[in-house]
């Protein structure tokens, strides 16, 4: 066998993932020290990659003076996450939020402004005001790309990172990637690495059965989670899944945050509202699920009562930003918001801190448990991060990495590790026949739906583990006939890693928490005495999946017990109780 | 390993190709080109005989700041082809180039209505005080789109001195111009010249104007508008009532209690919720019985807001 | 296990008459996050090579000639 074509480059800061947090990390690292060699590695093309490929409808969690304080925000997210948060990281985000909005504004990202040019903030959360619409959000990526170009940051597109390199003393040493069009290898030796590979969005199978009909950008399949895991980093609270209320079959947001301020709301089949707050949370999803179970489904987004002018405005936003094919989907089914409610459903599961709370553990400086390795955005553990969180924490990661690499040498590359990884990567290209990546991926994800989606049942999750072990053996039969299929074959392996992590993490926490996200039928109660802790999943010295818990750091914003429960009772008050 | 995927080598040749298709693709590629002559090639492209090439050049110039480019784009606002004009206008707005302000100011009073509006639109976000004069003059422009853009410029400038002009556009025959006026008046302070115009906006014949006026009054916290806002709680359109309720909350208008309590019984649940929230802002214990009733509302959002508001009225 | 040839409809359509790939354009292929578009060198036009589409639309929006139409994949429609 001839040696695979391999190029090696060096970097001070290597950023993996050029979606949202990644470009910002690269930009801020370079701004912090223009002498640094900053490289941004992207599986797709930075111009249009990641969750914000077509922009966003708005900032879901803007903390803008005069509307909300950082303390309010930290409290709100703490409560929404049943207390399991690293508050310092939330506070770091909240404190950086407004500066980041102004920075983005300066770069030319357009936010909705009122007649005098002030930000036009709208309300979705219970306590504060946090939504800042972006009616022209589709320009976000253009703006980021321009700044990368101005700063002369090395952008390398169409390389998929497959594994991180680590040093003998446990630091990060770079990464190895493979070109998705040629299967050539790239080794980046780096002093620091920032992971920003987005959510694990191809974990559950969408109800449509279409592998790429996911809520998340389908390029985000959990590579980052898998790479961090194999490098020995800790992942936190993975059992706190992402599950979203979405347009049925289309599987994209409807989106309550856009339509809510205009008067749209989620309703049952009687046209009645049943959720106290359209803000996405595990509690909200639990109520959604119960409504379906109780025979009041389907659940709809209702806008039929709105004025035609208002609906027109909503359509302009929803059909030109974020998921612009929404309009086409509705047209195909003859759905006009003016006279027909939009059918909603419960999405497949995934890992995404952006919307829920799980991911690679990071502290308030975006540091993972591996020295020199940082993570930001949907794959890092800061809850309810959303787009602005990816930007703020990406910026923190970039600045921290720039500072960290100032006093260290470039680690040596481990030739054996590289050779071993190249063998693993190329294995599917060396087979004539066997299993296609698509059928292996389909089967894994179908089993995720069958056995891991809540309500979580211990016996089912154990069966899932047996099936996953069988699929792991099937990986030795994967066939890739071209570089594109090889990318899919590698993705199938990341997906299986994530499926295994989802099962193990869910079994480890023997209580229920976060509403529907971790609703365990065999342990229906929340058990604060034993489980008011983070769960940490990692690969132990023997290469096995291991767990530990981590105490919650003392809060920086106290939340007393009554506030916690007062919010709960507000949130789920049935009519009889509320009347008291 | 190359930085960015640009293939600069032959762009100049391609930009001069006899084949218009190749020139067009070259223009697009020039957007990201680092080559020193990229901007000049694009400016030349704005004069290409083929409209598609000119439009591509106009779009690509967004990535190349510089006064010569801005000047060429302003000329392109008179292009015979509407796509080229649109691309030039979009590009000028996106560039947000402070140094081009004098050119834009000059352009705002000359040429076709399209060009005047485009220049004003580009000026808005620059928020340069020097633009106030030309924007003020444009308030009487024969074209309503130009008038609307001029209002936008003055709003962003918080141009106190422009209030007489804005009082006139508050009576404009075009509803959209009147609506823009109400939005721009968000800088007006209590006792300001334009306050009566804003209050009159609550009685406009077009509900969008009334809605905008109600929202602006809340943002500016104009106490003298309180009686008119309370009247607006009887508006036939619920969206207007909803914005009025929210603004009454912001004003802390105790006198609005009966109107807001009345709105708690509306059949529009969004309005009930907003009324409850406003009562929570006003924090008058007299609202407690009504809020207790609302805490049993059929709509959970209303219940939640009512409970929150009752808590605030109590303590 | 030998592999089967598997037929599936693709959601993205390119109008060959409008596409200027022959003049050097590769915009849609460049921007697609799933890397599922390609240029047919014989026809001189872009086409959808793999049915793995997130129906996200950069290909359509960024195409300079309006040659691309993104349809919703059949299974979701
Ligand atoms: C449909 C949708 C709507 C949303 N709406 C809103 C909203 O309205 N407001 C809001 O605030 N937030 C919203 N969000 C959330 C927000 O967009 C995300 O939280 C945020 O963009 C995540 O940023 P990120 O950098 O973590 O991931 P992404 O932006 O997704 O970037 C991840 C990048 O990593 C790349 N990558 C993946 N694997 C590899 C690999 N192996 N090697 C190299 N590169 C790799 C991917 O190609 C991608 O470019 C929405 C998300 C979605 C999906
Ligand atoms: S972007 Fe449009 S013109 Fe260019 S190759 Fe694709 S389809 Fe053809
Ligand atoms: S819609 Fe998105 S995923 Fe589908 S071909 Fe176009 S760019 Fe690619």
């Amino acid at each position: 066998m001839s040696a695979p074509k391999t190029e090696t480059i060096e970097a001070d800061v290597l950023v993996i993932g050029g979606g949202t947090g990644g470009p910002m990390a690269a930009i801020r690292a370079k701004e912090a020290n223009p002498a640094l060699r900053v490289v941004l590695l992207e599986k797709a093309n930075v111009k249009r990659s990641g969750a914000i490929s077509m922009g966003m409808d708005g900032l879901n969690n803007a903390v803008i003076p005069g509307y909300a304080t950082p303390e309010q925000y930290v409290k709100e997210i703490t409560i929404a996450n049943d207390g399991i948060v690293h508050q310092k990281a939330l506070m770091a985000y909240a404190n950086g939020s407004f500066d980041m909005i102004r920075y983005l504004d300066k770069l030319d990202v357009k936010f909705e402004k009122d007649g005098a040019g002030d930000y036009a903030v709208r309300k979705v959360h219970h306590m504060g005001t946090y939504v800042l619409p972006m009616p022209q959000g589709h320009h976000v990526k253009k703006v980021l790309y321009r700044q990368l170009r101005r700063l002369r940051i090395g952008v390398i597109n169409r390389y998929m990172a497959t594994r991180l390199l680590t040093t003998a003393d446990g630091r990060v040493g770079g990464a190895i990637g493979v070109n998705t069009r040629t299967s050539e290898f790239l080794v980046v030796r780096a002093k620091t690495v920032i992971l920003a590979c987005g959510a694990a969005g191809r974990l559950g199978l969408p109800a449509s059965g279409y592998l790429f009909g996911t809520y998340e950008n389908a390029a985000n399949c959990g590579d980052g989670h898998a790479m961090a895991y194999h490098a020995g980093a800790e992942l936190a609270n993975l059992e706190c899944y992402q599950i979203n209320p979405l347009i049925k079959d289309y599987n994209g947001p409807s989106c309550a945050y856009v339509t809510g301020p205009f008067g749209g709301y989620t309703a049952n089949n009687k046209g009645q509202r049943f959720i106290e707050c359209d803000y996405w949370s595990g509690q909200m999803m639990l109520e959604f699920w119960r409504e379906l179970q109780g025979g009041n489904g389907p659940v709809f987004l209702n806008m039929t009562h709105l004025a035609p002018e208002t609906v027109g405005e909503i359509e302009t936003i929803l059909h030109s930003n974020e998921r612009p094919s929404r309009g086409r989907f509705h047209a195909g089914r003859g759905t006009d918001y003016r006279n027909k409610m939009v059918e909603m459903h419960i999405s497949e599961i995934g890992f995404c801190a952006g919307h829920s709370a799980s991911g690679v553990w990071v502290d308030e400086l975006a540091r993972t448990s591996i020295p020199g390795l940082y993570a930001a955005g949907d794959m890092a553990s800061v809850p309810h991060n959303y787009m602005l969180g990816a930007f703020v924490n990406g910026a923190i990661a970039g600045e921290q990495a720039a500072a960290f690499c100032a006093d260290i040498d470039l680690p040596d590359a481990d030739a054996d590790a590289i050779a071993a990884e190249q063998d693993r990567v190329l294995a599917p290209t060396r087979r004539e026949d066997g299993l296609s990546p698509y059928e292996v991926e389909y089967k894994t994800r179908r089993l995720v739906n069958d056995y891991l989606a809540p309500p979580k049942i211990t016996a089912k999750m154990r069966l899932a583990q047996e099936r996953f072990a069988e699929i792991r053996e099937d990986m030795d039969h994967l066939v890739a006939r071209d570089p594109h299929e090889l990318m899919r074959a590698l993705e199938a392996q990341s997906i299986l890693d994530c499926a295994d992590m989802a099962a193990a993490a869910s079994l480890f926490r023997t209580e229920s928490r976060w509403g529907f996200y971790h609703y365990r039928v065999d342990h229906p109660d929340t058990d604060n005495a034993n489980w008011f802790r983070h769960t940490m999943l990692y690969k132990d010295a023997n290469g096995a999946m291991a767990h530990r818990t981590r105490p919650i750091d003392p809060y920086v914003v106290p939340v007393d017990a009554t506030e916690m429960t007062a919010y709960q009772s507000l949130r789920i008050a049935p009519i009889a109780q509320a009347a008291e | 390993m190359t930085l960015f995927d640009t293939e600069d080598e032959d762009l100049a040749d391609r930009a001069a190709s006899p084949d218009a298709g190749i020139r067009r693709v070259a223009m697009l590629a020039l957007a990201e080109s680092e080559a020193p002559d990229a901007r000049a090639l694009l400016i030349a492209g704005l004069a290409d005989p083929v409209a598609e090439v000119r439009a591509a050049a106009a779009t690509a110039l967004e990535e190349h700041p510089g006064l010569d480019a801005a000047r060429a784009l302003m000329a392109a606002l008179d292009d015979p082809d509407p796509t080229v004009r649109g691309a030039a206008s979009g590009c000028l707005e996106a560039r947000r180039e402070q140094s081009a302000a004098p050119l834009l100011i000059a352009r705002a009073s000359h040429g076709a209505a399209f060009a005047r509006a485009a220049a004003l639109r580009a000026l808005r976000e620059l928020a340069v005080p020097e633009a106030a004069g030309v924007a003020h003059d444009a308030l009487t422009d024969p074209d309503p789109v130009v008038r609307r853009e001029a209002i936008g410029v003055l709003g962003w400038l918080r141009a106190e001195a422009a209030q007489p002009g804005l009082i006139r556009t508050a009576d404009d025959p075009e509803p959209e111009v009147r609506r823009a006026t109400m939005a721009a008046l968000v800088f007006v302070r209590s006792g300001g010249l334009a306050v009566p115009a804003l209050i009159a906006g609550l009685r406009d014949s077009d509900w969008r104007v009334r809605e905008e006026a109600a929202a602006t009054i809340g943002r500016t916290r104009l106490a003298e508008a309180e009686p008119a806002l309370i009247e607006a709680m009887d508006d036939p359109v619920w969206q207007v009532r909803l914005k009025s309720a929210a603004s009454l909350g912001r004003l802390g208008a105790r006198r609005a209690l009966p109107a807001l309590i009345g709105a708690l019984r509306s059949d529009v649940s969004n309005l009930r919720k907003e009324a409850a929230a406003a009562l929570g802002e006003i924090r008058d214990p007299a609202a407690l019985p009504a809020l207790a009733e609302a805490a049993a509302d059929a709509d959970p959002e209303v219940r939640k807001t009512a409970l929150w508001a009752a808590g605030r009225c109590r303590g | 296990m030998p592999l089967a040839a598997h037929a599936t409809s693709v959601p993205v359509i390119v109008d060959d008459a409008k596409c200027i790939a022959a003049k050097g354009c590769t915009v849609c292929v460049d921007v697609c996050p799933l890397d599922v578009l390609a240029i047919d060198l014989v026809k001189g036009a872009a086409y959808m090579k793999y049915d793995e589409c997130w129906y996200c639309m950069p290909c359509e929006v960024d195409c300079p000639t309006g040659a691309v139409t993104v349809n919703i994949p059949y299974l979701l429609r």
Side-chain angles (χ1 to χ4, degrees):
Chain A
M1 234 176 297
S2 62
K5 201 163 172 233
T6 309
E7 189 171 352
T8 303
I9 62 169
E10 295 175 1
D12 296 297
V13 179
L14 166 64
V15 183
I16 303 178
T20 313
M24 188 54 73
I27 287 168
R28 285 303 179 85
K30 189 79 177 178
E31 285 182 348
N33 180 356
L36 295 180
R37 294 163 299 175
V38 180
V39 170
L40 177 57
L41 191 73
E42 167 59 49
K43 187 193 223 174
N45 184 317
V46 175
K47 272 188 205 170
R48 285 293 194 187
S49 62
I52 61 169
S53 170
M54 285 300 291
M56 281 288 121
D57 296 336
L59 297 177
N60 288 349
N61 50 347
V63 186
I64 297 182
Y67 293 96
T69 64
E71 287 72 22
Q72 253 179 341
Y73 176 81
V74 169
K75 197 180 263 189
E76 180 92 2
I77 301 299
T78 303
I79 294 168
N81 277 288
D82 290 351
I84 311 294
V85 293
H86 183 61
Q87 273 200 346
K88 286 186 203 123
L90 291 175
M91 188 52 100
Y93 161 72
N95 282 331
S97 163
F98 189 50
D99 281 346
M100 180 53 71
I101 293 172
R102 281 186 300 191
Y103 180 78
L104 292 167
D105 200 340
K106 200 183 86 200
L107 291 186
D108 261 4
V109 174
K110 290 212 163 52
F111 299 104
E112 184 160 298
K113 305 226 172 123
D114 69 12
D118 288 330
Y119 298 117
V121 186
R122 286 176 180 158
K123 185 161 176 144
V124 165
H125 288 239
H126 174 58
M127 301 200 303
T129 308
Y130 304 108
V131 168
L132 179 54
M134 303 170 67
Q136 296 177 47
H138 45 275
H139 295 307
V140 182
K141 291 245 56 168
K142 182 153 75 174
V143 169
L144 289 174
Y145 193 70
R146 181 183 301 153
Q147 188 67 358
L148 289 166
R149 208 148 33 78
R150 280 190 191 145
L151 293 170
R152 309 195 63 82
I153 288 164
V155 174
I156 299 174
N157 288 320
R158 302 288 173 200
Y159 273 90
M160 169 184 184
T162 64
R163 284 292 181 263
L164 296 174
L165 300 171
T166 48
T167 64
D169 59 346
R171 272 205 286 139
V172 78
I176 179 163
V178 64
N179 189 295
T180 62
R181 291 176 177 175
T182 64
S183 296
E184 287 165 10
F185 283 94
L186 175 70
V187 173
V188 186
R189 294 177 55 203
K191 293 180 182 177
T192 56
V193 175
I194 300 170
L195 284 171
C197 299
R202 256 157 67 201
L203 187 49
L205 186 68
S208 67
Y210 192 62
L211 288 178
F212 300 84
T214 46
Y215 169 73
E216 295 292 341
N217 185 320
N220 297 345
C221 62
D223 293 335
H225 295 76
M227 284 189 283
Y229 171 75
H230 288 294
E234 292 191 322
L235 294 96
N237 302 316
L238 290 178
E239 63 280 11
C240 181
Y241 296 162
Q242 156 176 252
I243 303 169
N244 294 331
L246 302 178
I247 302 172
K248 185 166 183 304
D249 298 337
Y250 180 78
N251 221 23
S254 49
C255 165
Y257 298 167
V258 171
T259 58
F262 287 105
Y265 58 84
T266 313
N268 60 21
N269 69 18
K270 302 181 177 64
Q272 289 162 348
R273 224 194 287 242
F274 62 94
I275 309 176
E276 286 75 357
C277 177
D278 277 332
Y279 183 69
W280 292 1
S281 65
Q283 196 65 42
M284 185 241 196
M285 286 314 302
L286 186 60
E287 288 173 43
F288 198 124
W289 178 72
R290 284 189 179 137
E291 201 70 9
L292 295 176
Q293 291 293 304
N296 289 328
V299 163
F300 298 93
L301 181 74
N302 185 18
M303 291 180 262
T304 55
H305 58 305
L306 302 182
E309 295 90 333
T310 312
V311 176
E313 223 172 299
I314 291 173
E315 281 173 339
T316 315
I317 301 172
L318 291 185
H319 302 172
S320 60
N321 282 310
E322 196 174 290
R323 299 295 278 139
S325 57
R326 281 181 280 220
R328 214 153 281 181
F329 174 78
H330 293 315
R333 292 191 171 180
T335 307
D336 180 336
Y337 297 148
R338 289 163 191 80
N339 49 40
K340 209 161 152 192
M341 300 197 291
V342 179
E343 188 187 354
M344 309 282 293
H345 79 148
I346 294 182
S347 75
E348 70 280 3
I349 69 161
F351 296 147
C352 176
H355 298 82
S356 72
S358 58
V360 175
W361 170 263
V362 291
D363 65 9
E364 60 277 18
L365 299 178
R367 294 181 295 203
T368 69
S369 53
I370 297 181
L373 180 66
Y374 302 79
D378 283 351
M379 66 167 290
S381 64
V382 187
H384 296 228
N385 234 317
Y386 290 104
M387 173 172 55
L388 193 58
F391 282 136
V392 172
N393 293 315
I396 294 174
E399 284 155 13
Q400 290 299 317
F404 185 85
C405 66
D407 359 280
I408 54 171
D409 296 327
L410 193 69
D412 289 328
D414 177 347
D416 291 344
I418 293 170
E421 174 59 3
Q422 291 185 326
D423 271 348
R424 179 188 79 93
V425 167
L426 292 178
T429 65
R430 294 176 174 148
R431 295 184 190 110
E432 292 286 298
D433 57 19
L435 298 168
S436 84
Y438 305 98
E439 53 192 334
V440 174
E441 174 176 342
Y442 181 90
K443 186 165 171 180
T444 309
R445 295 172 61 188
R446 197 259 301 164
L447 292 168
V448 166
N449 284 16
D450 288 351
Y451 294 129
L452 298 188
K456 301 183 187 177
I457 295 165
T458 307
K460 283 171 82 176
M461 292 193 285
R462 293 211 194 287
L463 276 178
Q465 290 182 312
E466 285 178 30
R467 297 287 90 79
F468 294 156
E470 290 156 12
I471 296 179
R472 202 161 279 285
E473 287 174 18
D474 297 339
M475 291 297 179
D476 291 339
H477 302 286
L478 272 180
V479 186
R481 294 169 301 180
D482 60 27
H484 183 85
E485 284 190 1
L486 180 60
M487 164 170 70
R488 298 287 177 242
L490 294 164
E491 290 176 341
Q493 297 174 55
S494 296
I495 291 166
L496 182 63
D497 285 342
C498 289
D500 262 330
M501 290 193 260
S506 294
L507 283 165
F508 181 61
R509 188 184 281 278
T510 50
E511 62 155 359
S512 287
R513 195 176 283 273
W514 304 297
F516 199 51
Y517 297 161
H518 186 61
Y519 174 36
R520 279 197 70 173
V521 176
D522 311 284
H523 305 276
D525 297 323
T526 299
D527 173 6
N528 278 325
N530 291 303
W531 289 105
F532 191 74
R533 307 170 75 78
H534 301 286
T535 61
M536 311 292 271
L537 179 151
Y538 59 98
K539 189 170 168 176
D540 70 13
N542 305 319
M545 208 170 270
H547 308 270
R548 67 180 188 94
T549 65
R550 183 193 156 105
I552 310 280
D553 274 26
Y555 284 171
V556 289
V557 179
V559 184
D560 63 53
T562 53
E563 275 176 303
M564 208 66 130
T565 52
Y567 189 93
Q568 282 269 338
S569 62
L570 285 183
R571 207 159 46 176
I572 53 171
I575 293 184
Q577 268 177 313
E580 282 165 13
Chain B
M1 197 60 47
T2 51
L3 295 188
F4 295 92
D5 300 332
T6 45
E7 299 149 43
D8 277 352
E9 322 85 52
D10 58 343
L11 272 179
D13 293 345
R14 284 158 63 200
S17 163
D19 183 327
I22 292 178
R23 294 204 299 281
R24 181 179 185 184
V25 175
M27 291 299 139
L28 293 169
L30 278 166
E32 283 160 28
S33 169
E34 310 265 333
D37 58 344
R39 192 169 75 220
L41 288 171
L42 286 168
I43 292 173
L46 281 178
D48 196 279
V50 177
E52 282 84 9
V53 181
R54 299 199 298 277
T59 308
L61 276 171
E62 188 179 332
E63 304 299 329
H64 294 274
L67 275 188
D68 48 354
R71 201 171 288 120
L73 283 164
M74 274 180 245
L77 292 174
D78 289 330
D79 196 281
D81 185 279
T83 320
V84 181
R85 293 200 296 271
S89 161
C91 182
L92 279 169
E93 187 187 351
R95 286 162 67 102
R96 287 214 275 186
E97 213 168 5
Q98 290 287 341
S99 55
L103 295 174
L104 287 166
I105 289 170
R107 197 72 180 85
S109 55
H110 291 101
F114 178 86
R116 300 196 302 274
L120 286 165
R121 198 174 305 118
L123 275 169
R124 189 185 63 176
E125 292 204 27
L126 298 182
V128 285
E130 297 75 34
V134 69
H136 194 264
D137 292 347
L139 291 178
T140 53
D141 195 283
D143 189 285
V145 178
V146 177
R147 297 201 294 279
R148 190 192 62 201
E149 297 304 338
I151 292 164
V153 172
L154 294 167
W156 279 55
L157 284 174
R158 301 167 179 274
E160 298 278 344
Q163 286 187 62
L166 290 172
I167 291 168
R168 278 194 302 279
T169 54
D171 269 331
D172 198 278
E174 274 302 314
E176 176 51 23
V177 174
R178 300 202 298 276
R179 198 201 55 74
T181 308
M182 296 304 139
L185 285 174
V186 70
F187 66 83
V188 168
R189 291 291 155 261
S190 193
L193 218 51
V195 170
L198 200 45
I199 293 174
L202 289 172
R203 295 185 207 106
D204 196 281
S205 56
D206 189 287
W207 73 269
R208 306 268 284 173
V209 181
R210 302 201 297 277
E211 186 192 34
E212 197 72 62
T216 299
I217 289 169
R219 288 204 185 106
T220 48
R221 298 198 155 79
L222 285 179
E224 58 260 59
E226 194 181 298
L229 267 186
I230 294 175
E231 260 175 57
M233 288 302 292
D234 289 328
D235 197 284
V237 177
W238 67 262
Q239 283 88 344
V240 179
R241 301 205 296 278
L242 187 142
K243 284 280 181 341
S244 301
S247 293
L248 285 165
R250 281 179 165 227
L251 290 180
R254 275 175 201 260
R255 270 173 298 179
L257 240 53
L260 290 169
I261 288 171
L264 285 177
R265 302 200 182 96
S266 155
D267 27 309
V268 180
S269 62
N270 292 322
L271 176 55
R272 296 202 300 277
K273 176 185 157 196
E274 204 60 54
L279 289 168
E281 298 293 347
I282 297 169
R283 308 184 83 155
D284 187 332
L288 278 169
L291 284 171
E293 238 178 83
D297 196 285
D299 185 313
E301 280 242 20
V302 180
R303 297 205 295 274
K304 185 182 75 171
T305 314
L307 281 174
W308 168 83
R312 300 208 1 136
C313 292
R314 243 178 258 121
Chain C
M1 281 155 282
L3 300 172
H6 190 100
T8 174
S9 63
V10 294
V12 171
I13 298 170
V14 177
D15 181 344
D16 293 351
K18 287 188 186 159
C19 177
I20 53 171
K23 313 290 182 192
C25 183
T26 56
V27 168
C28 57
V29 178
D30 291 344
V31 295
C32 173
L34 277 303
D35 207 11
V36 294
L37 304 175
I39 307 284
D40 180 334
L41 293 173
V42 179
K43 272 209 268 179
Y47 73 105
M48 186 168 228
K49 188 169 173 194
Y50 305 92
D51 174 27
E52 303 161 10
C53 179
W54 192 45
Y55 39 103
C56 48
M57 289 179 60
C59 53
E60 176 176 321
V61 172
D62 292 348
C63 170
T65 65
V68 182
T69 306
V70 175
N71 295 306
I72 304 295
Y74 174 71
L75 290 181
L76 284 61
R77 215 174 284 161

